[in-house]
Amino acid sequence: MATWAEAGVVTAADLLAGDEDPRPGAGSLIERSVATLNAAGVTARPKVRGDVGYFAKDIAQAAVEAGCDFSLGVTRNPAVWRAAAAIPDDAWRKAERMKGAQVAVCDYAPAGWPPATMTVVRRVKVHATDISADPRARRRRTIPKAQLTLALDGLVGHVYAYSFIATNLDVSTPAKTVAVEAWHRMRTDIEDRIRDAKHGAALRHLPSGSRAANTVWMWGALLAVNLSAWLQELAGLDDGDGRGRNHLGTLRHRLITVPARLVRHARQVTLRLPPRQQLLAQVLARLRRLPIWT
């Protein structure tokens, strides 16, 4: 699924089986999402971001062809490890809003990717005592093997865990590199939208063995997520970057399933709310001030 990040709105989605590779359909998601943004009157150049599961030159190319920039996670491979090892010590800069993290650009461009593709590297200091002894631990895969061996043998006090991002965004200065990496990290907001659809709009309760029926159910759940985002934007609960947005369950409890009663007196109708229940009153007052009411 793809979302308009700032608005919290689902722009395109496909229902796949659990063992289906989502990458072949990613280009279509981008195309449909851009069409939605155009219909909404968005004039800024869109930026597509995705995690390492979408590391594919075809997706990067589809983004460029759709008039977008891209920022996609990179699979850890020998070439990118070598490029990261060659980064000078004085090239690293402190990352934004992430303790112990540093950011730099390395000399690695995946083969066949669009021109001007660069790779941003983030490394995070990890104390040797914090490394799991379980060989299946995800953190161990982010540490170069030589460093991991030294740490497990007790020969060094700390090592670095690495993540990589392929992008055609401007990373020509350290400040721009730090900003791009911090923005890319916000891609996890989509996980919150998926979680909200599953737990707040019953997406996890697909009703049928038929993909067609389940697709209808999926869009019903995603429409509920979008209605929630629109309502919160209109009501002033969301400041435009998703930081103030409530989950559907919370919104339902605080705003929709509120006990109240209509009181008619002197030819006026008053909605009487419970004591100390303020959110619904605030929302109604804001909605009345919107131009649609005049």
Side-chain angles (χ1 to χ4, degrees), residues 16 20-29 52-56 58-59 75:
L16 305 179
E20 284 185 76
D21 186 349
R23 289 175 293 182
S28 175
L29 288 177
V52 68
Y54 291 93
F55 178 62
D58 292 342
I59 297 176
T75 302

Side-chain angles (χ1 to χ4, degrees), residues 129-144:
T129 54
D130 293 333
I131 300 175
S132 173
D134 186 346
R136 299 168 299 176
R138 179 185 177 279
R139 173 56 63 85
R140 291 168 64 114
R141 299 196 299 271
T142 68
I143 301 171

